[in-house]
C-alpha cells in the first residue's frame, strides 16, 4: 500500500495549483449535530472527550423551539441541537437519521458572496443569506446542501465579537472536565450511495472549487469480505479535507452500506480530530469510557518496523505502548501518522470519531485500511449486518 501511495503527489502546492479558491474558505467554523437529547449529549461530549462548555441558547435566551449547546476544545466547536416540541423540522431529521451531523459550517470572509458563487455553480440552497445581530455585532450566514440532508453553512463573523453567534450566551458551568488534547478537525468523511462518489467529487470540484488530491479504489480498499472506494477532496489552502466514500461490490456487506442503511441515506461518517500526543489523548479517552475498535492482531504490530522503514528512526512512540492502546500506525514518503477509531457514538452504527496524530504524513492511513476494516467487520458480524 505504501508503494502505491508513493506515485501520488499530494503536496500542498499541487492543491493550490488545481483549486479555484473563489470562496475562499478560512477553516471549519463549527459542526452541528441534531440529537435527541442535547443536554445529555453535551454531558457525554464534555465528560468523555473533554470538550468545554462554551455557549448556549434555549428557553432562557428566547429560543422557544430549539436548544443548542456549543462545546469547544482548542479549535474544534461542536453544536448539539435538539427540538423543544413536536413541530420542529429537526424532529424529522432525528426520526430519519438518528443523532448525526446536520451542518458542517465553513468560515468565510463574505457569506453572501460564498452563497452567490456556489448557487451560481449549481448548489441547492438550504437558506439564503441572513443577518443576525446583538450588542456584540452581527454575523451573516447562508447555507447550501451537500450529500444527503447534510448542509454547508457559510459563516461570516468579521463584524462579530460575541461568544459564538447572536442569540447565544456564554455557557458557564461548574462542571469542567479536563480537555483530552484534541486540537482541530483534520478531516471529515462523507458516506454516499452506490455510484454516487464521483457525483459528489464533481460537486466539490465544480461548486466549491475543491480538488481531488488522493483516490483509493476497491482494489486498494478491501478485505476478504467487503470493499469501498474513496476520494479525498481538499479546498485551496488545504485546511478543509473531505474524503468521500461509496460502497463497492464484494462477498459481504460493506461498512458503508451498513452506514447508509442505518443513517437512511448519505451523511457524515466520521470526524477526524487531531492531537499532538495521541498516547496521552487515547489513554484519557479510554479512562473516560470511550470505546475504540478492537486491536488488530499481533502480526500487525510485529510488522510495524518493516512497514515504517526509514521513519522508524524518527518514531518517538514505543510500539508496545501503541499496541497496548490499539493505536494504528501508517507512513508515507513525508512521514508517519498515528490513528485510532472509536466505535459508533450512538446506538445506530453511523457517526464515529477518529483520533489522529500526524508526524509529517499527509495521507489518511491507507496502510491501515485492511486491518481497520477487518476490525469493523468483526463488529458488523456481531451486529448481524455483515
Ligand atoms: Fe479518517
Amino acid at each position: 500500500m505504501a508503494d502505491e501511495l508513493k506515485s501520488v503527489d499530494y503536496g500542498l502546492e499541487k492543491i493550490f495549483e488545481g483549486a479555484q479558491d473563489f470562496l475562499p474558505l478560512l477553516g471549519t467554523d463549527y459542526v452541528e449535530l441534531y440529537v435527541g437529547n442535547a443536554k445529555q449529549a453535551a454531558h457525554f461530549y464534555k465528560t468523555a472527550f473533554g470538550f468545554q462548555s462554551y455557549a448556549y441558547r434555549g428557553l432562557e435566551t428566547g429560543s422557544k423551539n430549539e436548544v443548542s449547546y456549543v462545546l469547544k476544545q482548542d479549535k474544534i466547536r461542536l453544536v448539539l441541537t435538539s427540538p423543544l416540541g413536536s413541530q420542529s423540522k429537526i424532529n424529522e431529521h432525528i426520526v430519519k437519521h438518528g443523532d448525526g451531523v446536520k451542518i458542517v459550517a465553513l468560515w468565510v470572509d463574505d457569506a453572501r458572496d460564498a452563497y452567490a458563487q456556489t448557487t451560481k455553480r449549481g448548489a441547492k440552497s438550504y437558506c439564503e443569506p441572513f443577518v443576525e445581530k446583538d450588542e456584540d455585532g452581527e454575523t451573516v450566514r447562508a447555507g447550501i446542501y451537500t450529500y444527503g440532508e447534510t448542509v454547508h453553512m457559510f459563516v461570516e463573523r468579521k463584524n462579530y465579537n460575541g461568544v459564538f453567534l447572536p442569540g447565544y450566551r456564554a455557557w458557564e458551568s461548574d462542571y469542567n472536565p479536563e480537555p483530552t488534547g484534541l486540537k482541530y478537525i483534520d478531516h471529515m468523511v462523507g458516506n454516499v450511495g452506490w455510484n454516487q462518489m464521483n457525483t459528489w467529487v464533481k460537486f466539490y470540484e465544480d461548486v466549491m472549487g475543491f480538488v481531488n488530491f488522493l483516490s483509493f479504489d476497491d482494489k486498494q480498499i478491501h478485505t476478504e469480505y467487503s470493499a469501498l472506494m474513496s476520494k479525498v477532496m481538499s479546498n485551496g489552502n488545504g485546511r478543509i479535507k473531505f474524503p468521500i466514500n461509496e460502497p463497492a461490490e464484494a462477498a459481504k456487506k460493506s461498512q458503508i452500506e451498513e452506514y447508509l442503511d442505518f443513517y437512511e441515506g448519505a451523511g457524515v461518517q466520521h470526524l477526524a480530530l487531531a492531537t499532538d500526543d495521541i498516547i496521552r489523548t487515547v489513554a484519557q479517552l479510554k479512562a473516560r469510557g470511550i470505546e475504540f475498535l478492537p486491536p488488530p492482531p499481533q502480526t500487525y504490530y510485529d510488522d510495524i518496523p518493516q512497514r515504517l522503514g526509514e521513519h522508524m528512526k524518527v518514531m518517538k512512540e514505543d510500539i508496545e505502548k501503541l499496541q497496548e492502546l490499539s493505536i494504528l500506525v501508517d507512513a508515507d514518503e513525508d512521514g508517519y501518522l498515528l490513528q485510532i477509531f472509536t466505535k459508533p457514538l450512538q446506538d445506530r452504527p453511523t457517526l464515529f470519531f477518529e483520533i489522529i496524530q500526524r508526524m509529517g504524513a499527509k495521507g489518511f492511513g491507507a496502510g491501515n485500511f485492511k486491518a481497520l476494516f477487518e476490525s469493523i467487520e468483526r463488529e458488523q458480524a456481531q451486529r448481524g449486518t455483515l
Side-chain angles (χ1 to χ4, degrees), residues 282 286 292-296 300-301 320-328 339-341:
V282 171
K286 286 197 170 174
F292 292 93
L293 287 178
Y300 174 91
Y301 289 96
E320 269 175 34
K321 191 75 193 165
L322 297 176
Q323 182 171 15
E324 191 187 308
L325 294 168
S326 317
I327 294 168
L328 307 177
Q339 62 187 168
I340 189 169
F341 300 81

Side-chain angles (χ1 to χ4, degrees), residues 222-224 297 369-379:
H222 69 93
T223 66
E224 192 182 344
F369 286 169
K370 196 167 193 299
L372 168 66
F373 297 158
E374 283 169 351
S375 186
I376 292 176
E377 281 167 8
R378 288 194 288 274
E379 298 282 299

Side-chain angles (χ1 to χ4, degrees), residues 72-136:
K72 190 169 183 292
Q73 188 162 180
D74 206 323
K75 292 190 170 62
I76 310 163
R77 286 196 290 219
L78 284 187
V79 182
L80 302 162
T81 297
S82 287
L84 287 167
S86 62
Q87 298 309 306
S88 168
K89 281 205 123 188
I90 297 170
N91 285 301
E92 293 165 27
H93 199 275
I94 295 170
V95 167
K96 187 170 172 64
H97 303 295
D99 288 6
V101 173
K102 174 63 178 178
I103 294 173
V104 174
L106 303 168
W107 177 30
V108 295
D109 213 37
D110 185 340
R112 291 181 183 88
D113 188 58
Y115 180 82
Q117 295 288 345
T118 49
T119 50
K120 184 174 82 184
R121 288 169 168 84
K124 184 179 155 199
S125 175
Y126 171 70
C127 59
E128 292 190 358
F130 60 100
V131 177
E132 292 167 293
K133 292 181 191 187
D134 66 14
E135 63 280 8
D136 294 311

Side-chain angles (χ1 to χ4, degrees), residues 249-315:
E249 288 290 353
K252 293 194 177 181
K253 189 185 264 192
S254 165
Q255 51 163 306
I256 309 304
E257 201 180 346
E258 185 199 38
Y259 175 100
L260 296 169
D261 287 351
F262 280 92
Y263 199 70
E264 298 192 19
V268 173
Q269 180 208 38
H270 74 266
L271 306 187
L273 309 177
T275 169
D276 51 23
D277 186 351
I278 196 166
I279 288 176
R280 189 187 151 268
T281 297
V282 171
Q284 279 278 328
L285 296 176
K286 286 197 170 174
R288 296 171 187 212
I290 289 298
E291 294 179 314
F292 292 93
L293 287 178
Q298 178 67 38
T299 51
Y300 174 91
Y301 289 96
D302 295 341
D303 292 347
I304 285 179
Q306 192 199 336
R307 288 178 46 232
L308 258 68
E310 281 291 294
H311 302 302
M312 273 307 287
K313 289 183 196 152
V314 292
M315 190 164 124

Side-chain angles (χ1 to χ4, degrees), residues 154-284:
F154 300 116
V155 184
E156 172 188 328
R157 48 171 73 256
K158 61 178 183 278
N159 298 315
Y160 192 65
N161 296 313
V163 62
F164 179 56
L165 288 168
Y168 284 80
R169 72 176 189 204
W171 175 20
E172 312 278 351
S173 172
D174 294 333
Y175 177 63
N176 303 299
E178 282 287 301
T180 57
L182 302 173
K183 302 252 173 220
Y184 60 90
I185 297 176
D186 184 272
H187 59 274
M188 257 172 287
V189 180
N191 282 344
V192 301
W194 293 94
N195 305 314
Q196 292 295 302
M197 179 179 68
N198 286 326
T199 305
W200 290 102
V201 164
K202 204 167 156 37
F203 167 87
Y204 280 104
E205 284 172 348
D206 296 351
V207 173
M208 304 283 284
F210 282 40
V211 285
N212 171 212
F213 83 112
L214 212 50
S215 300
F216 306 99
D217 65 22
D218 47 337
K219 289 180 197 67
Q220 289 163 287
I221 314 184
H222 69 93
T223 66
E224 192 182 344
Y225 299 122
S226 71
L228 63 87
M229 295 185 274
S230 187
K231 288 190 175 176
V232 184
M233 307 306 294
S234 174
N235 79 317
N237 59 22
R239 288 184 204 169
I240 315 275
K241 294 190 201 73
F242 293 150
I244 315 272
N245 297 334
E246 75 169 46
E249 288 290 353
K252 293 194 177 181
K253 189 185 264 192
S254 165
Q255 51 163 306
I256 309 304
E257 201 180 346
E258 185 199 38
Y259 175 100
L260 296 169
D261 287 351
F262 280 92
Y263 199 70
E264 298 192 19
V268 173
Q269 180 208 38
H270 74 266
L271 306 187
L273 309 177
T275 169
D276 51 23
D277 186 351
I278 196 166
I279 288 176
R280 189 187 151 268
T281 297
V282 171
Q284 279 278 328

